[in-house]
Amino acid sequence: MEITVQTASKSYPIYIKPNGLAELPQVIQKNNFTNLLIITDVTVGRLHLDTLQSALPENVDYSVYTVPSGEKAKQMSVYESCLTFALEQGLDRKSCIIAFGGGAVGDLAGFVAATYMRGISFIQVPTTILAHDSAVGGKTAINHPLGKNMIGAFHQPEAVIYHTDFIKTLPDHEVRSGFTEAVKHALIADAGLLNTLMDEIKDLHEMTDGQLTHVLQRGMEIKANIVSIDEKESGLRAVLNLGHTLGHVIESSLGYGKTTHGEAVMVGIVYALHVSKEVLGLSFPISRFEEWVKGLGYRLEIPPDLSFEDAYKGMQRDKKTIAKRPRFVLLEAVGKPVLKEVEENALKHAYEMMKDGSEE
């Protein structure tokens, strides 16, 4: 299965199939790279590096740099160490970086590629469900203690190669993390997909290969369509941040890596639905949605020691915020997202309602 992403800066393919790595040699040979740098993390390297190495063309010169797993990879010190290693290995402007891992490795490796010698090529080889969203669209970044993804660049890959067999080794929390982005895509763009998910997916362990492939394909199509219209998030692309405004605050408040990105974002999605109901009069069965995601293993509690005042300060640092007035992706209806500045009192009311665990 192949999807083409067409942006103002470049066009590139997404390959989605169980043996996706079979596409890697032709991508490498087509571009005639001088050498490769594989950036992976400890966990993915241990499980799958041999598989990736066996898929490389025999005559290619490559090196491997291993970083910490999860959000710990997205630190300034790790970013600098990657650049140092690239220089030591003699990478030049015709070299290519392969981002081999989940969303964190993709963000880090993409940012290394975007900034090394003012930008070199990179290929996304995602190994998680979450990365079906993050690997597409060219957003690359590392974290700052005061905010997630605050230091980054837009830098499109040469290709995204999804070898879906890797997903079979994911732990439960990573499956939930990735499934959140599929739910997000359905909420912002495909009511039919959302109905299918809520009706048919009752246990993430019991998803069939066909269901998983459909979820990945549809999510990537939605992301590719939005990115093709708005590559650098000057307008429409911001709708892909549904749930991320509070989700990022939760991640940074707990400490990066203490919860998965997707599990924090699911809390943010439910919060955005409540705000949408209050501000836009959204007609949507929020209680049914909450029960469904809880049944899939998600916890929807806001951290008990995260006050609204502290959360609001975090929201004010969100990249969508203008002049310290938070803007949220809300829903007028499923498939009809809007980017809207929201008053503090409305945000506080929905926040306290979620913390109390009851709907007024």
Side-chain angles (χ1 to χ4, degrees), residues 35 37 63 86-87 89-93 95-97 116-117 120:
N35 57 357
L37 168 58
S63 55
L87 288 165
Q89 296 301 310
L91 267 68
D92 57 37
R93 287 182 171 174
S95 301
C96 178
I97 291 174
Y116 185 80
M117 294 189 175
I120 64 172

Side-chain angles (χ1 to χ4, degrees), residues 194-228:
L194 181 65
N195 290 334
T196 297
L197 295 178
M198 293 182 69
D199 290 342
E200 297 183 5
I201 308 296
K202 304 299 182 182
D203 186 331
L204 294 178
H205 292 289
E206 295 180 0
M207 272 196 297
T208 66
D209 289 345
Q211 287 174 324
L212 178 58
T213 299
H214 176 65
V215 166
L216 295 175
Q217 176 195 358
R218 189 69 192 106
M220 287 178 150
E221 286 173 346
I222 290 168
K223 180 79 176 276
N225 288 338
I226 291 173
V227 169
S228 69

Side-chain angles (χ1 to χ4, degrees), residues 135-274:
V136 179
K139 273 189 174 182
T140 72
I142 57 174
N143 299 330
H144 187 280
L146 293 180
K148 185 178 170 71
N149 295 335
M150 285 297 177
I151 306 163
F154 289 96
H155 190 57
Q156 302 295 340
E158 298 301 318
V160 179
I161 298 175
Y162 219 126
H163 185 90
T164 56
D165 277 351
F166 288 144
I167 292 172
K168 296 175 182 177
T169 63
L170 290 177
D172 291 352
H173 63 276
E174 287 294 345
V175 175
R176 283 194 297 272
S177 183
F179 192 73
T180 295
E181 298 291 352
V183 173
K184 176 198 75 176
H185 289 137
L187 282 165
I188 64 174
D190 193 335
L193 175 61
L194 181 65
N195 290 334
T196 297
L197 295 178
M198 293 182 69
D199 290 342
E200 297 183 5
I201 308 296
K202 304 299 182 182
D203 186 331
L204 294 178
H205 292 289
E206 295 180 0
M207 272 196 297
T208 66
D209 289 345
Q211 287 174 324
L212 178 58
T213 299
H214 176 65
V215 166
L216 295 175
Q217 176 195 358
R218 189 69 192 106
M220 287 178 150
E221 286 173 346
I222 290 168
K223 180 79 176 276
N225 288 338
I226 291 173
V227 169
S228 69
I229 297 169
D230 181 16
E231 180 178 4
K232 297 190 175 179
E233 202 170 298
S234 58
L236 175 65
R237 184 169 177 171
V239 303
L240 291 163
N241 281 292
L242 176 68
H244 286 61
T245 307
L246 178 59
H248 283 172
V249 172
I250 291 172
E251 283 187 89
S252 60
S253 69
L254 290 175
Y256 297 122
K258 296 296 178 60
T259 184
T260 66
H261 171 70
E263 288 172 309
V265 167
M266 186 61 84
V267 179
I269 286 174
V270 171
Y271 178 62
L273 293 175
H274 283 292

